[in-house]
Amino acid sequence: PPRRPDLITPRRSARRHARRHQPTTTPPRHHALTHQPTHAPGTSFLKLDALLSANPPDVAALSAQFAITDVAAAADNSTVGALMSTTTSELFFATSAMSVLETWLKLCVPAIEDGNNFGVGIVMEAAKMCSDARGELEKLQASVPDYYKERGAAYAAIAPKTTTSTTESTSKADDKSTKDGTLEATAKEGASSSSETKTTGGTASPDQISHVVALDVMWYLKLYAACDRVRSLYAAVCDFLEKNEEKIQAPKGERGGGMSMY
């Protein structure tokens, strides 16, 4: 059968991290969640599991951390931005991994013949699981950029306003004089301009400021949940493949099934 993509069973790692994590009474400060994902589902699961387990979200702590005291300095949120980058990478690599697994499983399907198709059904079920996971991940990936649209509109209502005014003036004068009994006229013209730029604080209400903070908190949680969903899909798919490894490698028994290499 085709060579199986690199898989590392995530179940024992998940239990180990669950035992290790204990809730704390002091609200944590949420740092930037970043790491480099890999194409191997099992390896990526272990790294993502460690990252999420070490940074459990706390709504009260996030609200305090994202509170706006200086509107001008709140044009962006670096913590949410870092998690945005991590989530985008995780979704991309998870989508790619599910696509690879789906292709590999389809290549495991043996030639069509009558009878003894139970193992083939297992392979097709695994392929469908990967296909469904890929579709779900693609939808999550498409929704991620909406953060910038929503926050940009909310911040525009409280952002300091900058105005520039320009003043231009023109003057004319005619000088008349008599020289050697002849009247002479001289025209003089001048122009000047000046500009002034003013930056004034917005007239934002407390609710408008709270709206920006609430968006940051909500999107932090949504991005964290997206990464958590990636972790769950890795665990479910790897677990199914491990439990049904023999059927996938030989859908029709010792006669084998799909291509000899992939």
Side-chain angles (χ1 to χ4, degrees):
R3 181 171 59 84
R4 185 182 67 178
D6 182 24
L7 299 175
I8 296 177
T9 305
R11 286 182 293 171
R12 280 184 291 179
S13 173
R15 290 195 297 267
R16 183 172 65 251
H17 284 293
R19 290 194 302 268
R20 184 179 302 168
H21 172 62
Q22 297 294 332
T24 59
T25 56
T26 302
R29 179 173 179 82
H30 294 77
H31 301 284
L33 272 66
T34 58
H35 83 92
Q36 183 62 39
T38 66
H39 280 288
T43 303
S44 190
F45 169 88
L46 295 174
K47 292 183 178 180
L48 185 58
D49 183 56
L51 182 73
L52 296 179
S53 298
N55 297 273
D58 183 291
V59 174
L62 286 169
S63 298
Q65 181 178 339
F66 297 161
I68 296 176
T69 55
D70 182 359
V71 173
D76 62 357
N77 187 313
S78 60
T79 302
V80 177
L83 181 54
M84 172 78 68
S85 177
T86 296
T87 303
T88 302
S89 297
E90 285 295 342
L91 289 170
F92 170 77
F93 284 111
T95 301
S96 176
M98 293 302 167
S99 179
V100 170
L101 286 171
E102 181 185 357
T103 302
W104 169 71
L105 287 163
K106 288 180 178 179
L107 293 175
C108 287
V109 177
I112 299 176
E113 58 185 29
D114 293 335
N116 194 23
N117 289 317
F118 178 73
V120 178
I122 296 296
V123 177
M124 297 305 296
E125 179 65 24
K128 183 178 184 304
M129 179 182 291
C130 293
S131 177
D132 292 345
R134 177 173 54 80
E136 181 180 349
L137 292 169
E138 287 174 347
K139 289 180 180 178
L140 287 174
Q141 193 172 8
S143 68
V144 167
D146 288 344
Y147 165 70
Y148 295 108
K149 179 176 67 175
E150 294 180 12
R151 193 184 193 280
Y155 180 75
I158 67 172
K161 304 298 188 291
T162 300
T163 58
T164 302
S165 60
T166 302
T167 303
E168 296 183 355
S169 61
T170 302
S171 62
K172 279 187 175 182
D174 292 331
D175 289 342
K176 296 181 179 180
S177 61
T178 302
K179 183 177 181 181
D180 299 330
T182 303
L183 181 65
E184 295 181 349
T186 304
K188 294 182 179 180
E189 183 174 342
S192 64
S193 64
S194 62
S195 63
E196 183 180 14
T197 301
K198 294 181 179 180
T199 300
T200 58
T203 58
S205 68
D207 283 345
Q208 288 176 309
I209 295 175
S210 296
H211 181 211
V212 177
V213 176
L215 278 175
D216 284 339
V217 173
M218 181 195 72
W219 271 97
Y220 185 98
L221 297 175
K222 286 181 68 173
L223 294 171
Y224 186 99
C227 289
D228 188 41
R229 184 57 182 155
V230 171
R231 176 175 60 174
S232 298
L233 290 173
Y234 278 147
V237 170
C238 290
D239 182 68
F240 186 89
L241 295 180
E242 181 191 22
K243 289 177 178 177
N244 297 280
E245 183 175 5
E246 292 183 3
K247 285 294 184 182
I248 292 173
Q249 289 183 342
K252 289 183 174 292
E254 296 299 327
R255 288 182 297 166
M259 298 173 61
S260 59
M261 64 182 298
Y262 172 57

